[in-house]
mmCIF file of all heavy atoms in Angstrom:
data_model
loop_
_atom_site.group_PDB
_atom_site.id
_atom_site.type_symbol
_atom_site.label_atom_id
_atom_site.label_comp_id
_atom_site.label_asym_id
_atom_site.label_seq_id
_atom_site.Cartn_x
_atom_site.Cartn_y
_atom_site.Cartn_z
ATOM 1 N N ARG A 1111 96.317 112.931 107.412
ATOM 2 C CA ARG A 1111 97.434 112.122 106.922
ATOM 3 C C ARG A 1111 98.662 112.237 107.819
ATOM 4 O O ARG A 1111 99.593 111.449 107.697
ATOM 5 C CB ARG A 1111 97.813 112.540 105.490
ATOM 6 C CG ARG A 1111 96.900 111.962 104.439
ATOM 7 C CD ARG A 1111 97.372 112.341 103.043
ATOM 8 N NE ARG A 1111 98.555 111.600 102.627
ATOM 9 C CZ ARG A 1111 99.281 111.893 101.557
ATOM 10 N NH1 ARG A 1111 98.956 112.918 100.804
ATOM 11 N NH2 ARG A 1111 100.332 111.160 101.232
ATOM 12 N N SER A 1112 98.708 113.206 108.701
ATOM 13 C CA SER A 1112 99.867 113.323 109.590
ATOM 14 C C SER A 1112 99.917 112.163 110.572
ATOM 15 O O SER A 1112 100.984 111.830 111.081
ATOM 16 C CB SER A 1112 99.809 114.643 110.364
ATOM 17 O OG SER A 1112 98.833 114.567 111.389
ATOM 18 N N LYS A 1114 98.991 112.133 113.486
ATOM 19 C CA LYS A 1114 99.333 112.608 114.841
ATOM 20 C C LYS A 1114 98.408 112.001 115.893
ATOM 21 O O LYS A 1114 97.197 111.986 115.741
ATOM 22 C CB LYS A 1114 99.216 114.134 114.899
ATOM 23 C CG LYS A 1114 100.329 114.845 114.157
ATOM 24 C CD LYS A 1114 101.064 115.846 115.049
ATOM 25 C CE LYS A 1114 102.075 116.682 114.264
ATOM 26 N NZ LYS A 1114 103.171 115.941 113.675
ATOM 27 N N SER A 1160 94.930 105.318 97.007
ATOM 28 C CA SER A 1160 95.397 106.609 96.510
ATOM 29 C C SER A 1160 95.079 107.684 97.530
ATOM 30 O O SER A 1160 94.075 107.610 98.225
ATOM 31 C CB SER A 1160 94.686 106.927 95.193
ATOM 32 O OG SER A 1160 94.937 108.266 94.812
ATOM 33 N N THR A 1161 95.951 108.691 97.584
ATOM 34 C CA THR A 1161 95.671 109.860 98.413
ATOM 35 C C THR A 1161 95.220 111.029 97.551
ATOM 36 O O THR A 1161 94.921 112.102 98.062
ATOM 37 C CB THR A 1161 96.933 110.272 99.198
ATOM 38 O OG1 THR A 1161 98.018 110.390 98.263
ATOM 39 C CG2 THR A 1161 97.291 109.232 100.230
ATOM 40 N N GLU A 1162 95.181 110.800 96.252
ATOM 41 C CA GLU A 1162 94.899 111.863 95.279
ATOM 42 C C GLU A 1162 93.472 112.394 95.416
ATOM 43 O O GLU A 1162 93.205 113.538 95.079
ATOM 44 C CB GLU A 1162 95.134 111.301 93.873
ATOM 45 C CG GLU A 1162 95.045 112.304 92.752
ATOM 46 C CD GLU A 1162 96.385 112.946 92.382
ATOM 47 O OE1 GLU A 1162 97.340 112.855 93.176
ATOM 48 O OE2 GLU A 1162 96.464 113.540 91.303
ATOM 49 N N TYR A 1169 96.967 106.798 104.233
ATOM 50 C CA TYR A 1169 98.112 107.675 104.458
ATOM 51 C C TYR A 1169 98.977 107.837 103.219
ATOM 52 O O TYR A 1169 99.561 108.893 102.990
ATOM 53 C CB TYR A 1169 98.985 107.123 105.599
ATOM 54 C CG TYR A 1169 98.315 107.196 106.943
ATOM 55 C CD1 TYR A 1169 97.733 106.063 107.510
ATOM 56 C CD2 TYR A 1169 98.249 108.400 107.639
ATOM 57 C CE1 TYR A 1169 97.099 106.134 108.748
ATOM 58 C CE2 TYR A 1169 97.628 108.476 108.871
ATOM 59 C CZ TYR A 1169 97.056 107.340 109.424
ATOM 60 O OH TYR A 1169 96.440 107.425 110.638
ATOM 61 N N MET A 1170 99.084 106.756 102.456
ATOM 62 C CA MET A 1170 99.995 106.775 101.312
ATOM 63 C C MET A 1170 99.425 105.922 100.188
ATOM 64 O O MET A 1170 98.764 104.914 100.433
ATOM 65 C CB MET A 1170 101.357 106.192 101.716
ATOM 66 C CG MET A 1170 102.234 107.129 102.496
ATOM 67 S SD MET A 1170 102.868 108.510 101.513
ATOM 68 C CE MET A 1170 104.139 107.702 100.542
ATOM 69 N N PRO A 1171 99.706 106.301 98.942
ATOM 70 C CA PRO A 1171 99.339 105.412 97.849
ATOM 71 C C PRO A 1171 100.244 104.185 97.865
ATOM 72 O O PRO A 1171 101.381 104.255 98.332
ATOM 73 C CB PRO A 1171 99.594 106.254 96.598
ATOM 74 C CG PRO A 1171 100.553 107.308 97.011
ATOM 75 C CD PRO A 1171 100.385 107.510 98.487
ATOM 76 N N SER A 1172 99.737 103.076 97.373
ATOM 77 C CA SER A 1172 100.566 101.880 97.235
ATOM 78 C C SER A 1172 100.008 101.051 96.094
ATOM 79 O O SER A 1172 98.894 101.279 95.639
ATOM 80 C CB SER A 1172 100.596 101.075 98.536
ATOM 81 O OG SER A 1172 99.276 100.731 98.947
ATOM 82 N N GLY A 1173 100.780 100.133 95.631
ATOM 83 C CA GLY A 1173 100.385 99.338 94.479
ATOM 84 C C GLY A 1173 101.631 98.862 93.760
ATOM 85 O O GLY A 1173 101.779 97.683 93.460
ATOM 86 N N SER A 1174 102.530 99.793 93.514
ATOM 87 C CA SER A 1174 103.867 99.406 93.087
ATOM 88 C C SER A 1174 104.554 98.854 94.335
ATOM 89 O O SER A 1174 104.707 99.556 95.335
ATOM 90 C CB SER A 1174 104.608 100.623 92.538
ATOM 91 O OG SER A 1174 105.922 100.259 92.210
ATOM 92 N N GLN A 1177 107.409 99.168 98.643
ATOM 93 C CA GLN A 1177 107.728 100.519 99.125
ATOM 94 C C GLN A 1177 107.184 100.843 100.513
ATOM 95 O O GLN A 1177 107.693 101.724 101.197
ATOM 96 C CB GLN A 1177 107.214 101.562 98.124
ATOM 97 C CG GLN A 1177 107.822 101.384 96.737
ATOM 98 C CD GLN A 1177 107.505 102.536 95.793
ATOM 99 O OE1 GLN A 1177 107.462 103.684 96.197
ATOM 100 N NE2 GLN A 1177 107.297 102.215 94.528
ATOM 101 N N SER A 1180 109.449 100.886 103.776
ATOM 102 C CA SER A 1180 110.290 102.087 103.895
ATOM 103 C C SER A 1180 109.454 103.267 104.383
ATOM 104 O O SER A 1180 109.884 104.026 105.261
ATOM 105 C CB SER A 1180 110.912 102.440 102.540
ATOM 106 O OG SER A 1180 111.642 101.364 102.009
ATOM 107 N N VAL A 1181 108.271 103.421 103.806
ATOM 108 C CA VAL A 1181 107.384 104.512 104.211
ATOM 109 C C VAL A 1181 107.070 104.398 105.709
ATOM 110 O O VAL A 1181 107.108 105.383 106.457
ATOM 111 C CB VAL A 1181 106.079 104.487 103.393
ATOM 112 C CG1 VAL A 1181 105.039 105.438 103.990
ATOM 113 C CG2 VAL A 1181 106.348 104.848 101.934
ATOM 114 N N GLY A 1184 109.823 105.578 107.856
ATOM 115 C CA GLY A 1184 109.849 107.040 107.931
ATOM 116 C C GLY A 1184 108.775 107.571 108.864
ATOM 117 O O GLY A 1184 109.028 108.466 109.679
ATOM 118 N N ALA A 1185 107.578 107.002 108.744
ATOM 119 C CA ALA A 1185 106.477 107.449 109.606
ATOM 120 C C ALA A 1185 106.805 107.174 111.077
ATOM 121 O O ALA A 1185 106.523 108.001 111.959
ATOM 122 C CB ALA A 1185 105.179 106.746 109.207
ATOM 123 N N LEU A 1187 109.821 106.959 112.391
ATOM 124 C CA LEU A 1187 110.866 107.903 112.814
ATOM 125 C C LEU A 1187 110.252 109.277 113.095
ATOM 126 O O LEU A 1187 110.686 109.973 114.018
ATOM 127 C CB LEU A 1187 111.942 108.017 111.729
ATOM 128 C CG LEU A 1187 112.869 106.810 111.591
ATOM 129 C CD1 LEU A 1187 113.764 106.978 110.359
ATOM 130 C CD2 LEU A 1187 113.718 106.613 112.841
ATOM 131 N N GLY A 1188 109.254 109.654 112.305
ATOM 132 C CA GLY A 1188 108.572 110.924 112.551
ATOM 133 C C GLY A 1188 107.939 110.936 113.928
ATOM 134 O O GLY A 1188 108.042 111.920 114.668
ATOM 135 N N LEU A 1191 110.675 111.315 116.515
ATOM 136 C CA LEU A 1191 111.159 112.699 116.618
ATOM 137 C C LEU A 1191 110.167 113.573 117.379
ATOM 138 O O LEU A 1191 110.560 114.500 118.087
ATOM 139 C CB LEU A 1191 111.388 113.287 115.220
ATOM 140 C CG LEU A 1191 112.674 112.858 114.496
ATOM 141 C CD1 LEU A 1191 112.644 113.331 113.050
ATOM 142 C CD2 LEU A 1191 113.910 113.390 115.204
ATOM 143 N N ASP A 1192 108.884 113.265 117.213
ATOM 144 C CA ASP A 1192 107.851 114.063 117.868
ATOM 145 C C ASP A 1192 107.562 113.597 119.295
ATOM 146 O O ASP A 1192 106.680 114.150 119.965
ATOM 147 C CB ASP A 1192 106.551 114.031 117.050
ATOM 148 C CG ASP A 1192 106.689 114.810 115.748
ATOM 149 O OD1 ASP A 1192 107.615 115.631 115.657
ATOM 150 O OD2 ASP A 1192 105.874 114.589 114.832
ATOM 151 N N GLN A 1211 113.789 96.231 97.759
ATOM 152 C CA GLN A 1211 113.621 97.358 98.678
ATOM 153 C C GLN A 1211 113.118 96.912 100.045
ATOM 154 O O GLN A 1211 113.401 97.571 101.054
ATOM 155 C CB GLN A 1211 112.669 98.401 98.070
ATOM 156 C CG GLN A 1211 112.631 99.712 98.858
ATOM 157 C CD GLN A 1211 111.673 100.721 98.262
ATOM 158 O OE1 GLN A 1211 111.285 100.599 97.104
ATOM 159 N NE2 GLN A 1211 111.288 101.709 99.043
ATOM 160 N N GLU A 1214 116.192 96.340 101.868
ATOM 161 C CA GLU A 1214 116.842 97.626 102.191
ATOM 162 C C GLU A 1214 116.193 98.207 103.445
ATOM 163 O O GLU A 1214 116.873 98.667 104.368
ATOM 164 C CB GLU A 1214 116.679 98.631 101.035
ATOM 165 C CG GLU A 1214 117.426 98.285 99.762
ATOM 166 C CD GLU A 1214 117.306 99.369 98.682
ATOM 167 O OE1 GLU A 1214 116.727 100.441 98.938
ATOM 168 O OE2 GLU A 1214 117.801 99.140 97.571
ATOM 169 N N ALA A 1215 114.861 98.186 103.448
ATOM 170 C CA ALA A 1215 114.131 98.736 104.599
ATOM 171 C C ALA A 1215 114.390 97.896 105.849
ATOM 172 O O ALA A 1215 114.468 98.427 106.961
ATOM 173 C CB ALA A 1215 112.634 98.798 104.295
ATOM 174 N N PHE A 1218 117.615 99.041 107.173
ATOM 175 C CA PHE A 1218 117.473 100.408 107.685
ATOM 176 C C PHE A 1218 116.811 100.400 109.065
ATOM 177 O O PHE A 1218 117.289 101.031 110.017
ATOM 178 C CB PHE A 1218 116.652 101.251 106.711
ATOM 179 C CG PHE A 1218 116.425 102.668 107.165
ATOM 180 C CD1 PHE A 1218 117.304 103.673 106.797
ATOM 181 C CD2 PHE A 1218 115.339 102.994 107.975
ATOM 182 C CE1 PHE A 1218 117.105 104.986 107.232
ATOM 183 C CE2 PHE A 1218 115.134 104.294 108.413
ATOM 184 C CZ PHE A 1218 116.018 105.298 108.038
ATOM 185 N N HIS A 1222 118.675 101.637 112.462
ATOM 186 C CA HIS A 1222 118.205 102.838 113.162
ATOM 187 C C HIS A 1222 117.300 102.510 114.351
ATOM 188 O O HIS A 1222 116.664 103.415 114.905
ATOM 189 C CB HIS A 1222 117.495 103.783 112.183
ATOM 190 C CG HIS A 1222 118.457 104.458 111.230
ATOM 191 N ND1 HIS A 1222 119.238 105.520 111.591
ATOM 192 C CD2 HIS A 1222 118.779 104.193 109.939
ATOM 193 C CE1 HIS A 1222 119.984 105.902 110.567
ATOM 194 N NE2 HIS A 1222 119.730 105.104 109.549
ATOM 195 N N VAL B 1310 114.661 117.740 108.070
ATOM 196 C CA VAL B 1310 115.466 116.544 108.320
ATOM 197 C C VAL B 1310 116.219 116.220 107.031
ATOM 198 O O VAL B 1310 115.854 116.698 105.955
ATOM 199 C CB VAL B 1310 114.599 115.332 108.752
ATOM 200 C CG1 VAL B 1310 113.841 115.632 110.035
ATOM 201 C CG2 VAL B 1310 113.629 114.928 107.652
ATOM 202 N N ASP B 1331 120.124 113.711 115.413
ATOM 203 C CA ASP B 1331 118.788 113.108 115.530
ATOM 204 C C ASP B 1331 117.935 113.374 114.306
ATOM 205 O O ASP B 1331 116.946 112.682 114.067
ATOM 206 C CB ASP B 1331 118.078 113.659 116.782
ATOM 207 C CG ASP B 1331 117.967 115.187 116.757
ATOM 208 O OD1 ASP B 1331 118.910 115.826 116.230
ATOM 209 O OD2 ASP B 1331 116.955 115.732 117.233
ATOM 210 N N PHE B 1334 119.561 111.081 108.752
ATOM 211 C CA PHE B 1334 119.418 109.632 108.620
ATOM 212 C C PHE B 1334 120.307 109.094 107.505
ATOM 213 O O PHE B 1334 120.060 109.328 106.327
ATOM 214 C CB PHE B 1334 117.951 109.261 108.366
ATOM 215 C CG PHE B 1334 117.046 109.728 109.475
ATOM 216 C CD1 PHE B 1334 116.320 110.895 109.355
ATOM 217 C CD2 PHE B 1334 116.993 109.017 110.672
ATOM 218 C CE1 PHE B 1334 115.517 111.350 110.401
ATOM 219 C CE2 PHE B 1334 116.193 109.457 111.722
ATOM 220 C CZ PHE B 1334 115.455 110.623 111.584
ATOM 221 N N GLN B 1335 121.354 108.406 107.921
ATOM 222 C CA GLN B 1335 122.215 107.731 106.962
ATOM 223 C C GLN B 1335 121.462 106.498 106.457
ATOM 224 O O GLN B 1335 121.046 105.651 107.259
ATOM 225 C CB GLN B 1335 123.520 107.316 107.659
ATOM 226 C CG GLN B 1335 124.435 106.459 106.834
ATOM 227 C CD GLN B 1335 124.911 107.128 105.541
ATOM 228 O OE1 GLN B 1335 124.337 106.922 104.481
ATOM 229 N NE2 GLN B 1335 125.952 107.943 105.652
ATOM 230 N N CYS B 1336 121.264 106.409 105.171
ATOM 231 C CA CYS B 1336 120.477 105.309 104.610
ATOM 232 C C CYS B 1336 121.338 104.231 103.977
ATOM 233 O O CYS B 1336 120.819 103.184 103.568
ATOM 234 C CB CYS B 1336 119.487 105.852 103.568
ATOM 235 S SG CYS B 1336 118.286 106.990 104.288
ATOM 236 N N ALA B 1339 121.295 102.533 99.476
ATOM 237 C CA ALA B 1339 119.943 101.981 99.335
ATOM 238 C C ALA B 1339 119.004 103.145 99.031
ATOM 239 O O ALA B 1339 118.197 103.562 99.855
ATOM 240 C CB ALA B 1339 119.544 101.260 100.624
ATOM 241 N N GLU B 1340 119.134 103.666 97.823
ATOM 242 C CA GLU B 1340 118.442 104.911 97.468
ATOM 243 C C GLU B 1340 116.924 104.743 97.433
ATOM 244 O O GLU B 1340 116.181 105.662 97.789
ATOM 245 C CB GLU B 1340 118.944 105.436 96.116
ATOM 246 C CG GLU B 1340 120.409 105.871 96.109
ATOM 247 C CD GLU B 1340 121.391 104.724 95.908
ATOM 248 O OE1 GLU B 1340 120.939 103.573 95.722
ATOM 249 O OE2 GLU B 1340 122.609 104.955 95.932
ATOM 250 N N ALA B 1341 116.461 103.575 96.985
ATOM 251 C CA ALA B 1341 115.013 103.357 96.906
ATOM 252 C C ALA B 1341 114.401 103.479 98.301
ATOM 253 O O ALA B 1341 113.380 104.160 98.501
ATOM 254 C CB ALA B 1341 114.723 101.982 96.308
ATOM 255 N N ASP B 1342 115.044 102.832 99.251
ATOM 256 C CA ASP B 1342 114.583 102.919 100.643
ATOM 257 C C ASP B 1342 114.616 104.369 101.121
ATOM 258 O O ASP B 1342 113.660 104.838 101.745
ATOM 259 C CB ASP B 1342 115.476 102.034 101.523
ATOM 260 C CG ASP B 1342 115.052 102.057 102.982
ATOM 261 O OD1 ASP B 1342 113.881 101.733 103.260
ATOM 262 O OD2 ASP B 1342 115.894 102.377 103.841
ATOM 263 N N ASP B 1345 111.568 106.509 100.010
ATOM 264 C CA ASP B 1345 110.294 106.228 100.675
ATOM 265 C C ASP B 1345 110.349 106.494 102.180
ATOM 266 O O ASP B 1345 109.325 106.825 102.781
ATOM 267 C CB ASP B 1345 109.849 104.790 100.384
ATOM 268 C CG ASP B 1345 109.185 104.672 99.007
ATOM 269 O OD1 ASP B 1345 108.403 105.577 98.662
ATOM 270 O OD2 ASP B 1345 109.445 103.701 98.292
ATOM 271 N N VAL B 1346 111.523 106.346 102.796
ATOM 272 C CA VAL B 1346 111.651 106.744 104.200
ATOM 273 C C VAL B 1346 111.406 108.249 104.311
ATOM 274 O O VAL B 1346 110.696 108.719 105.212
ATOM 275 C CB VAL B 1346 113.042 106.369 104.776
ATOM 276 C CG1 VAL B 1346 113.244 107.014 106.147
ATOM 277 C CG2 VAL B 1346 113.198 104.860 104.891
ATOM 278 N N ALA B 1348 109.570 110.025 102.345
ATOM 279 C CA ALA B 1348 108.126 110.229 102.168
ATOM 280 C C ALA B 1348 107.396 109.963 103.485
ATOM 281 O O ALA B 1348 106.528 110.742 103.894
ATOM 282 C CB ALA B 1348 107.593 109.320 101.072
ATOM 283 N N GLY B 1349 107.767 108.891 104.161
ATOM 284 C CA GLY B 1349 107.134 108.558 105.438
ATOM 285 C C GLY B 1349 107.379 109.627 106.487
ATOM 286 O O GLY B 1349 106.482 109.994 107.247
ATOM 287 N N LEU B 1350 108.602 110.145 106.526
ATOM 288 C CA LEU B 1350 108.941 111.198 107.482
ATOM 289 C C LEU B 1350 108.110 112.461 107.238
ATOM 290 O O LEU B 1350 107.748 113.172 108.177
ATOM 291 C CB LEU B 1350 110.428 111.545 107.368
ATOM 292 C CG LEU B 1350 111.386 110.719 108.233
ATOM 293 C CD1 LEU B 1350 112.809 110.823 107.691
ATOM 294 C CD2 LEU B 1350 111.338 111.158 109.694
ATOM 295 N N LEU B 1352 105.116 112.763 106.390
ATOM 296 C CA LEU B 1352 103.710 112.690 106.810
ATOM 297 C C LEU B 1352 103.468 113.475 108.097
ATOM 298 O O LEU B 1352 102.470 114.164 108.236
ATOM 299 C CB LEU B 1352 103.272 111.229 106.989
ATOM 300 C CG LEU B 1352 103.187 110.382 105.715
ATOM 301 C CD1 LEU B 1352 102.834 108.947 106.057
ATOM 302 C CD2 LEU B 1352 102.188 110.959 104.724
ATOM 303 N N SER B 1353 104.416 113.369 109.021
ATOM 304 C CA SER B 1353 104.216 114.025 110.315
ATOM 305 C C SER B 1353 104.582 115.508 110.285
ATOM 306 O O SER B 1353 104.599 116.163 111.329
ATOM 307 C CB SER B 1353 105.050 113.312 111.381
ATOM 308 O OG SER B 1353 106.422 113.371 111.037
ATOM 309 N N LYS B 1355 107.492 116.736 108.857
ATOM 310 C CA LYS B 1355 108.919 116.982 108.660
ATOM 311 C C LYS B 1355 109.141 117.430 107.207
ATOM 312 O O LYS B 1355 108.346 117.116 106.313
ATOM 313 C CB LYS B 1355 109.733 115.717 108.929
ATOM 314 C CG LYS B 1355 109.468 115.105 110.297
ATOM 315 C CD LYS B 1355 110.049 115.950 111.412
ATOM 316 C CE LYS B 1355 109.613 115.446 112.773
ATOM 317 N NZ LYS B 1355 108.172 115.694 113.052
ATOM 318 N N ASP B 1372 110.431 105.056 90.175
ATOM 319 C CA ASP B 1372 109.122 104.602 90.630
ATOM 320 C C ASP B 1372 108.852 105.012 92.077
ATOM 321 O O ASP B 1372 107.712 105.314 92.441
ATOM 322 C CB ASP B 1372 109.029 103.079 90.487
ATOM 323 C CG ASP B 1372 107.627 102.571 90.786
ATOM 324 O OD1 ASP B 1372 106.669 103.213 90.322
ATOM 325 O OD2 ASP B 1372 107.497 101.552 91.480
ATOM 326 N N GLN B 1373 109.908 105.016 92.898
ATOM 327 C CA GLN B 1373 109.729 105.462 94.286
ATOM 328 C C GLN B 1373 109.333 106.940 94.305
ATOM 329 O O GLN B 1373 108.480 107.358 95.087
ATOM 330 C CB GLN B 1373 111.013 105.250 95.095
ATOM 331 C CG GLN B 1373 111.256 103.807 95.519
ATOM 332 C CD GLN B 1373 111.722 102.913 94.380
ATOM 333 O OE1 GLN B 1373 112.173 103.389 93.331
ATOM 334 N NE2 GLN B 1373 111.637 101.609 94.561
ATOM 335 N N GLN B 1376 105.553 107.176 92.879
ATOM 336 C CA GLN B 1376 104.470 106.765 93.784
ATOM 337 C C GLN B 1376 104.577 107.428 95.158
ATOM 338 O O GLN B 1376 103.597 107.915 95.700
ATOM 339 C CB GLN B 1376 104.463 105.240 93.940
ATOM 340 C CG GLN B 1376 103.395 104.719 94.921
ATOM 341 C CD GLN B 1376 103.283 103.206 94.919
ATOM 342 O OE1 GLN B 1376 102.815 102.609 93.958
ATOM 343 N NE2 GLN B 1376 103.737 102.557 95.987
ATOM 344 N N GLY B 1377 105.796 107.408 95.729
ATOM 345 C CA GLY B 1377 105.967 107.822 97.126
ATOM 346 C C GLY B 1377 106.037 109.330 97.313
ATOM 347 O O GLY B 1377 105.782 109.832 98.409
ATOM 348 N N TYR B 1380 102.868 111.138 93.276
ATOM 349 C CA TYR B 1380 101.466 110.707 93.380
ATOM 350 C C TYR B 1380 100.972 110.908 94.814
ATOM 351 O O TYR B 1380 99.831 111.305 95.053
ATOM 352 C CB TYR B 1380 101.325 109.251 92.944
ATOM 353 C CG TYR B 1380 99.887 108.778 92.805
ATOM 354 C CD1 TYR B 1380 98.940 109.531 92.115
ATOM 355 C CD2 TYR B 1380 99.483 107.566 93.355
ATOM 356 C CE1 TYR B 1380 97.628 109.104 91.988
ATOM 357 C CE2 TYR B 1380 98.175 107.115 93.227
ATOM 358 C CZ TYR B 1380 97.247 107.895 92.548
ATOM 359 O OH TYR B 1380 95.947 107.466 92.431
ATOM 360 N N ALA B 1381 101.871 110.648 95.764
ATOM 361 C CA ALA B 1381 101.499 110.818 97.173
ATOM 362 C C ALA B 1381 101.423 112.292 97.560
ATOM 363 O O ALA B 1381 100.850 112.632 98.592
ATOM 364 C CB ALA B 1381 102.507 110.104 98.071
ATOM 365 N N THR B 1383 103.797 114.110 98.672
ATOM 366 C CA THR B 1383 104.511 114.299 99.939
ATOM 367 C C THR B 1383 105.527 115.437 99.806
ATOM 368 O O THR B 1383 106.059 115.686 98.728
ATOM 369 C CB THR B 1383 105.220 113.009 100.388
ATOM 370 O OG1 THR B 1383 105.928 112.449 99.285
ATOM 371 C CG2 THR B 1383 104.205 111.996 100.893
ATOM 372 N N HIS B 1417 102.870 117.013 89.695
ATOM 373 C CA HIS B 1417 103.103 117.544 91.051
ATOM 374 C C HIS B 1417 104.562 117.890 91.343
ATOM 375 O O HIS B 1417 104.869 118.404 92.418
ATOM 376 C CB HIS B 1417 102.621 116.590 92.165
ATOM 377 C CG HIS B 1417 101.179 116.231 92.090
ATOM 378 N ND1 HIS B 1417 100.241 117.028 91.509
ATOM 379 C CD2 HIS B 1417 100.503 115.129 92.527
ATOM 380 C CE1 HIS B 1417 99.045 116.457 91.584
ATOM 381 N NE2 HIS B 1417 99.178 115.294 92.184
#
Side-chain angles (χ1 to χ4, degrees):
Chain A
R1111 280 183 74 191
S1112 75
K1114 288 235 187 296
S1160 170
T1161 52
E1162 187 92 344
Y1169 292 101
M1170 282 290 285
S1172 56
S1174 176
Q1177 301 189 37
S1180 304
V1181 169
L1187 287 172
L1191 282 171
D1192 290 341
Q1211 190 181 342
E1214 292 184 5
F1218 179 92
H1222 288 282
Chain B
V1310 300
D1331 57 326
F1334 301 99
Q1335 173 61 264
C1336 297
E1340 295 83 3
D1342 181 57
D1345 279 319
V1346 170
L1350 272 161
L1352 292 176
S1353 60
K1355 306 289 172 289
D1372 187 43
Q1373 283 75 17
Q1376 178 172 290
Y1380 189 48
T1383 47
H1417 302 334

